[in-house]
Amino acid sequence: MADNFSLLVLLLILALLCGKLLPIPLIYHPFSFFAAFCQALARKVHPDPQRPAAQQRISGLLALIIALALPLTLLACVYLFASWSLLIDAIILMFCANWQPYQRQAEKVSHSLEKELTALAKVQARLLLLRDTKPLSRMGLVKALLESLCLRFSQQIIATMFWYLLAGAMGLLCYRLCQVASQQWSVKLPSNRHFGVVACRLHQLLCIVPYLLSLCLLYLQSGKNNSAAKRCVEGEPMPKSKVWLLQQLSTTLQVNVGGPAYYQQQQVRRLRLQQQYEPDIGDVKRLLRLQQHQFTLLLLLLASLAGLGLLWQ
C-alpha cells in the first residue's frame, strides 16, 4: 500500500516537473478543445437566455452531465484495455498540471505594461481573463492579473495535487473538466447567469480545500507585521473560501484587490479588499516569485511524502 502511494507521489512530482519544463501551448492543449466543445454544446442546449430561469438551470445540469460523461466514459474504457494504467495517469497529470503557459502569458502582459504598451497588454490579457479588458486601466489590469494568477495557481497546481492524491486520475480529470466547463459557462456573464449555476456551484465545492491550502501558503509568505485587508462589502457575494484566499492575497502583497469588473459590457459590482497601497506591475512579478517558491515547497513536501512511504514498508 505504502509502495503504491509512493509511486503515485513520484509520478505526480515527475508530471509537475514535465509540465514546468515542457509546457503544452494553450492553443494545442486538449482542454482547449474541450472548452470549444463546451461552447458548442451551450449553443445547442442554451439558445435563448430569456427562457425561464428553471429551464436554463435544467439545461445547464444536462449539459454538464454530457460534458463530463463523454470524456470520463472514454477514459474508463481506456483503463479497461490498458496494460499499464500508470502511463495513462502520467498523461492526464501532464495535461492537468499545465500551469507554465499561464505564467508566461502573465509575464508577457507585465513586459508590455513596463514598456507602456497598455493596448497590447489588454489584448494579451484576454487569454488569462474572462472580463472585458478594454475598459481596464493600467492599475485595473494589474489587479485582474493578480487575482487571476492567484486563483489559477490554486485551481491548476494545488487542486491537481490534492484531487490526484485523493481520488486518482479519474477524480482529477473530473475536477479539471468541471473547472473548464464552469469557466466557459461562467455565471459572471449575463447570458450564463442561470445556465452556468450548476457547473459553477460544483466547481466552487471542489475548490474549497485547494483554496484553503493556497491561503495557508500565502499566510506563511506574509510578513508578521502585515495588516489584514479590510472588506468593503458591495455587489454580488462570492464563496467564502474564495473571499478568504483573495483577502490573504491582499494581505500578503499589501495591495488593494477586488472591485467592479465588466463582463459582456455590463458592470458587475464585487467585493473590495482594501490595503494601504494600490497594486503596480512589480506586484505581479512578486506574486510570480512567491508562486515559484510555493511550487518548490510543494515538490519538497511531495518528495518527503514519497520518502516516508518508502521507509514505512
Side-chain angles (χ1 to χ4, degrees):
M1 183 70 178
D3 184 37
N4 186 50
F5 177 76
S6 298
L7 185 59
L8 293 178
V9 174
L10 290 174
L11 186 63
L12 177 57
I13 294 173
L14 181 62
L16 290 169
L17 289 175
C18 288
K20 181 175 178 58
L21 299 175
L22 301 170
I24 304 172
L26 294 178
I27 192 172
Y28 302 119
H29 198 282
F31 286 133
S32 297
F33 297 104
F34 179 72
F37 169 73
C38 288
Q39 293 175 0
L41 182 61
R43 287 193 293 269
K44 288 290 185 181
V45 302
H46 180 52
D48 182 15
Q50 303 303 322
R51 291 180 302 159
Q55 290 185 15
Q56 294 186 51
R57 292 192 182 99
I58 292 173
S59 297
L61 173 61
L62 294 176
L64 181 63
I65 292 173
I66 294 172
L68 295 182
L70 291 177
L72 292 177
T73 301
L74 178 62
L75 178 62
C77 293
V78 171
Y79 270 119
L80 286 176
F81 296 101
S83 58
W84 197 38
S85 60
L86 284 180
L87 177 60
I88 304 173
D89 284 13
I91 295 172
I92 293 172
L93 278 168
M94 287 186 63
F95 288 159
C96 292
N98 196 47
W99 157 252
Q100 192 69 15
Y102 295 98
Q103 186 181 42
R104 289 182 178 177
Q105 191 66 23
E107 290 172 349
K108 288 181 181 178
V109 177
S110 301
H111 187 64
S112 297
L113 287 175
E114 283 184 329
K115 291 188 171 183
E116 303 295 334
L117 301 174
T118 307
L120 176 60
K122 290 179 181 180
V123 174
Q124 294 170 332
R126 290 175 186 170
L127 289 175
L128 298 174
L129 305 176
L130 179 64
R131 70 187 71 181
D132 299 340
T133 58
K134 188 175 180 180
L136 288 174
S137 63
R138 176 189 172 93
M139 185 183 67
L141 189 55
V142 171
K143 276 187 180 182
L145 279 177
L146 291 175
E147 294 175 27
S148 176
L149 286 171
C150 178
L151 295 174
R152 281 187 181 274
F153 185 83
S154 179
Q155 293 171 6
Q156 294 182 214
I157 294 296
I158 297 178
T160 293
M161 297 179 182
F162 175 77
W163 284 111
Y164 179 68
L165 294 178
L166 183 68
M170 186 73 77
L172 171 60
L173 182 61
C174 181
Y175 159 76
R176 285 289 275 125
L177 293 175
C178 179
Q179 181 206 18
V180 175
S182 69
Q183 289 174 345
Q184 299 306 309
W185 306 333
S186 175
V187 294
K188 296 174 183 176
L189 302 177
S191 59
N192 294 331
R193 185 172 299 276
H194 301 293
F195 175 75
V197 164
V198 177
C200 179
R201 296 283 171 80
L202 179 57
H203 180 238
Q204 289 172 359
L205 181 65
L206 296 175
C207 282
I208 290 176
V209 176
Y211 280 172
L212 294 178
L213 293 174
S214 185
L215 184 155
C216 293
L217 291 173
L218 283 173
Y219 176 78
L220 292 174
Q221 292 175 318
S222 63
K224 294 182 178 180
N225 298 323
N226 281 359
S227 58
K230 299 178 182 178
R231 299 187 190 183
C232 296
V233 180
E234 59 178 58
E236 298 185 0
M238 288 193 295
K240 288 186 177 180
S241 57
K242 184 176 180 179
V243 172
W244 293 339
L245 176 56
L246 292 179
Q247 188 172 20
Q248 186 58 52
L249 171 68
S250 178
T251 300
T252 301
L253 298 180
Q254 289 290 283
V255 297
N256 300 334
V257 297
Y262 284 86
Y263 298 93
Q264 293 182 340
Q265 299 181 349
Q266 294 188 24
Q267 187 185 66
V268 177
R269 301 188 67 81
R270 304 181 309 144
L271 177 71
R272 287 179 182 270
L273 297 170
Q274 299 277 6
Q275 270 293 349
Q276 51 186 322
Y277 303 111
E278 293 290 353
D280 198 2
I281 192 62
D283 296 303
V284 175
K285 295 182 177 180
R286 189 151 58 105
L287 178 58
L288 288 172
R289 286 196 301 270
L290 291 176
Q291 289 179 340
Q292 181 57 51
H293 296 329
Q294 291 179 18
F295 185 81
T296 304
L297 176 60
L298 290 169
L299 289 180
L300 292 175
L301 290 174
L302 288 174
S304 300
L305 282 176
L308 289 174
L310 292 174
L311 291 175
W312 189 259
Q313 296 181 51

